[in-house]
Amino acid sequence: ARTSALEASTAAPLRKKGQPVAKPSEELRRRHVLRTLDHTVASWLFRAKMRVAGKEAIVKALGEQQQERVLAALDRCAALRLKEAVPTIIKLLRHQDSRIAERSIGVLVSIGDRRAVKPLTKLASFRESGKLAMVIDGIASLGGPEAVSFLEFVADGHRHPTVRDMARQALARLKRAKAGK
């Protein structure tokens, strides 16, 4: 994803005062290349910094303004299974950038902290079937009594048969996992 974003930024038409430039000057091309390199190096350095950062610094980075930095911090939280970050990640579930909100679901599941179940149930919108599927799977993976109650509710009450089936399957997986312990 990061490579495709870089490729898109370098392939996009060069602009001057917001307007595309059909035949950019050498100076405009040079500035564009330098800006692209600067962005790439800064992104790489931030990711490298996250690899060696302590827990507090990683959690703090979840509050960065640049979305790419938040995504890098989320990746690190998942890799470390950073339970200290769970409250902050829960807040990111409602982030305006859908990449951050959706990645937060996956990171919470990776961490495996059941404190995330209730916020995930509140996140579930019965109108957004695609997101609901992601939430159902995440809640089933986390498990616990709240997860069972939510999955039973969806399995019995959702208007779409496909979503009801997903909830039933998730509930069955959850019960099998519990029986296997």
Side-chain angles (χ1 to χ4, degrees), residues 1-164:
R2 287 180 290 281
T3 304
S4 61
L6 177 61
E7 289 171 359
S9 72
T10 56
L14 297 178
R15 297 180 176 276
K16 191 170 189 176
K17 296 183 181 178
Q19 299 300 315
V21 177
K23 294 186 180 200
S25 67
E26 183 66 30
E27 175 61 22
L28 186 58
R29 287 193 304 252
R30 187 179 72 73
R31 280 197 327 242
H32 179 68
V33 168
L34 290 175
R35 189 172 44 247
T36 301
L37 287 173
D38 184 54
H39 175 74
T40 303
V41 169
S43 177
W44 183 83
L45 287 173
F46 185 80
R47 285 186 170 277
K49 181 180 169 184
M50 287 291 97
R51 299 275 299 169
V52 297
K55 294 175 181 180
E56 281 184 29
I58 296 169
V59 173
K60 184 178 179 186
L62 292 169
E64 286 277 343
Q65 293 299 311
Q66 295 178 22
Q67 283 90 345
E68 294 302 321
R69 289 183 172 208
V70 176
L71 292 167
L74 282 168
D75 290 346
R76 199 65 188 135
C77 289
L80 296 174
R81 299 187 71 176
L82 200 59
K83 289 188 181 287
E84 294 86 348
V86 169
T88 305
I89 298 170
I90 287 170
K91 292 176 187 170
L92 292 175
L93 289 171
R94 298 206 181 267
H95 198 278
Q96 63 190 24
D97 185 324
S98 62
R99 296 174 306 156
I100 292 172
E102 290 173 6
R103 181 93 47 97
S104 296
I105 294 170
V107 171
L108 288 168
V109 172
S110 293
I111 293 171
D113 191 313
R114 288 189 177 160
R115 289 180 290 175
V117 172
K118 189 169 186 170
L120 285 171
T121 63
K122 291 180 179 179
L123 181 69
S125 167
F126 279 74
R127 292 181 303 270
E128 298 177 40
S129 296
K131 194 170 194 175
L132 184 57
M134 191 182 324
V135 170
I136 286 170
D137 190 50
I139 289 171
S141 295
L142 292 169
E146 282 182 295
V148 171
S149 295
F150 174 77
L151 293 172
E152 287 173 343
F153 175 73
V154 174
D156 291 338
H158 199 275
R159 61 188 160 108
H160 291 294
T162 307
V163 175
R164 286 194 307 267

